[in-house]
């Protein structure tokens, strides 16, 4: 029988985390490095990336980074190749980078917000949210599969959202179909990639205290609105997601693929 250590062992694994310089992605990068993996973080924010790498290295982590926009397809392909060259292979990929979509059509107090109305939505804003939150997941999975097929398999973990499964008036509209598309894409990829030993799953968070939307959840009114949805009276801390990330990256989850695993303090039950 496997020991607890063997079941959760990611020691020596070659890991990529997109959007790993902040919030949920940073927690993924930390839990992998804390458990002996070699981690490369891709992030758009060079300053924050440098800071996170310095802090994680100071804690003994084997971590480095590449500054890039996940929407840049050729840069993504070369960044994956650079990781494979340096680590020898790619075992685990977190497709996590994402952005908010601005205000929804209602405020937390229930007032209509013109900027969030469908007839006034800027087309370039719609395009960018789809590009970063959905198309970049396609690009990430494509490059992960290209490498993992050569080495007999791997794990792909995509950060979706409970927004894929519910409707929320206070969340910017383009965010919802982007995340719903992510969920469906992941199920489709699970069908295609299983025979290559590549398992792919979604982590579907509810509200977490991160820097998304310029730290919107740190504004008391917004924070309260989301706290009230949680069945345990608080929003998530990135630390809360580490266990699930480790589970999906490790031998412990060897029979799990094509799943959307919700981590939301029970919020979805209240919203539904
Ligand atoms: N925080 C929440 O409440 C919540 C809930 C559900 C899902 N999510 C999802 O979690 C993921 C991480 O978000 P977070 O809350 O940790 O936000 P965050 O803003 O704290 O972190 C996101 C990171 O992604 C990076 N990033 C953004 N666009 C990028 C791009 N084009 N290329 C490369 N890097 C880019 C940012 O620089 C940042 O470091 C996102 O996919 C988000 O949709 C968040």
């Amino acid at each position: 029988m496997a020991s607890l250590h063997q079941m959760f062992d990611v020691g020596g694994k070659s890991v990529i985390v997109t959007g790993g310089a902040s919030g949920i992605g940073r927690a993924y990068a930390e839990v992998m490095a804390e458990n002996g993996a070699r981690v490369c973080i891709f992030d758009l924010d060079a300053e924050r990336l440098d800071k996170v790498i310095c802090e994680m290295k100071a804690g003994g982590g084997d971590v480095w980074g590449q500054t890039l926009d996940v929407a840049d397809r050729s840069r993504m392909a070369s960044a994956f190749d650079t990781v494979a060259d340096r680590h020898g292979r790619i075992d685990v990929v977190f497709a996590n980078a994402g952005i908010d979509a601005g205000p929804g059509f209602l405020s937390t107090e229930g007032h209509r917000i013109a900027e969030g109305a469908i007839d006034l939505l800027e087309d370039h804003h719609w395009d960018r949210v789809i590009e970063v939150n959905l198309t970049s997941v396609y690009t990430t999975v494509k490059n992960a599969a290209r490498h993992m097929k050569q080495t007999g398999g791997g794990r792909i973990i995509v950060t979706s959202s409970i927004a894929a499964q519910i409707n929320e008036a206070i969340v910017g509209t383009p965010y919802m179909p982007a995340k719903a598309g992510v969920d469906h894409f992941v199920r489709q990829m699970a069908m295609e990639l299983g025979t290559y030993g590549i398992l792919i799953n979604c982590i579907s968070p509810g509200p977490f205290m991160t820097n998304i939307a310029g730290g919107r959840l740190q504004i008391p009114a917004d924070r309260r609105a989301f706290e009230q949805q949680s069945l345990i009276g608080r929003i998530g801390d990135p630390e809360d997601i580490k266990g699930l990330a480790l589970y999906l990256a490790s031998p412990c989850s060897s029979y799990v693929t094509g799943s959307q695993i919700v981590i939301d303090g029970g919020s979805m039950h209240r919203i539904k």
Side-chain angles (χ1 to χ4, degrees):
M1 199 175 113
S3 69
L4 194 60
H5 173 73
Q6 286 166 330
M7 286 171 74
F8 287 97
D9 189 14
V10 292
K13 295 289 182 195
S14 166
V15 179
I16 291 172
V17 183
T18 74
S22 173
I24 290 170
R26 177 176 177 156
Y28 294 155
E30 282 177 358
V31 72
M32 290 297 111
E34 284 158 4
N35 285 281
R38 296 168 293 165
V39 180
C40 182
I41 298 173
F42 295 176
D43 206 286
L44 191 57
D45 187 330
E47 205 176 312
R48 202 180 261 165
L49 181 59
D50 279 350
K51 186 169 175 286
V52 165
I53 289 171
C54 279
E55 288 169 5
M56 287 178 62
K57 274 188 167 164
D62 182 348
V63 58
W64 57 293
Q66 300 190 59
T67 304
L68 55 73
D69 182 342
V70 290
D72 181 338
R73 290 178 185 165
S74 60
R75 181 75 185 88
M76 282 284 278
S78 65
F80 268 78
D81 294 347
T82 303
V83 176
D85 284 347
R86 184 153 157 178
H87 290 175
R89 55 190 290 127
I90 297 171
D91 299 304
V92 181
V93 172
F94 289 90
N96 166 77
I99 52 175
D100 81 299
F105 65 87
L106 289 185
S107 70
T108 46
E109 294 81 25
H111 306 305
R112 292 262 163 190
I113 300 181
E115 199 188 334
I118 190 67
D119 47 319
L120 295 178
L121 202 66
E122 299 279 358
D123 291 345
H124 68 84
H125 179 57
W126 170 277
D127 291 344
R128 180 65 180 163
V129 174
I130 297 297
E131 188 177 58
V132 175
N133 288 6
L134 176 58
T135 310
S136 86
V137 174
Y138 149 72
T139 307
T140 305
V141 171
K142 180 178 190 166
N143 284 294
R146 179 165 64 84
H147 283 281
M148 289 173 179
K149 275 183 177 181
Q150 291 169 26
T151 51
R155 301 293 176 90
I156 305 172
I157 298 138
V158 181
T159 312
S160 180
S161 168
I162 59 171
Q165 302 178 43
I166 56 166
N167 292 95
E168 264 284 21
I170 61 175
V171 174
T173 293
Y175 192 82
M176 317 303 277
K179 292 297 187 181
V182 161
D183 277 17
H184 211 64
F185 175 65
V186 164
R187 288 189 288 268
Q188 181 78 7
M189 287 302 98
M191 284 177 37
E192 179 178 341
L193 298 176
T195 50
Y196 299 101
I198 302 170
L199 307 185
I200 176 166
N201 292 286
C202 285
I203 290 181
S204 303
F208 270 70
M209 183 60 81
T210 68
N211 291 307
I212 201 163
R216 174 184 179 181
L217 289 175
Q218 288 153 31
I219 299 167
D222 285 353
R223 183 179 177 150
R224 264 195 307 281
F226 285 106
E227 276 173 353
Q228 281 164 6
Q229 290 171 356
S230 161
L231 299 186
I232 53 178
R234 66 175 178 87
I235 61 175
D237 182 285
E239 284 290 316
D240 291 319
I241 219 155
K242 287 185 171 180
L244 181 53
L246 183 59
Y247 167 72
L248 287 174
S250 66
C252 208
S253 60
S254 56
Y255 198 56
V256 181
T257 195
S259 291
Q260 280 76 41
I261 303 185
V262 170
I263 175 163
D264 71 341
S267 302
M268 262 196 9
H269 300 298
R270 181 98 74 203
I271 300 165
K272 276 179 171 172

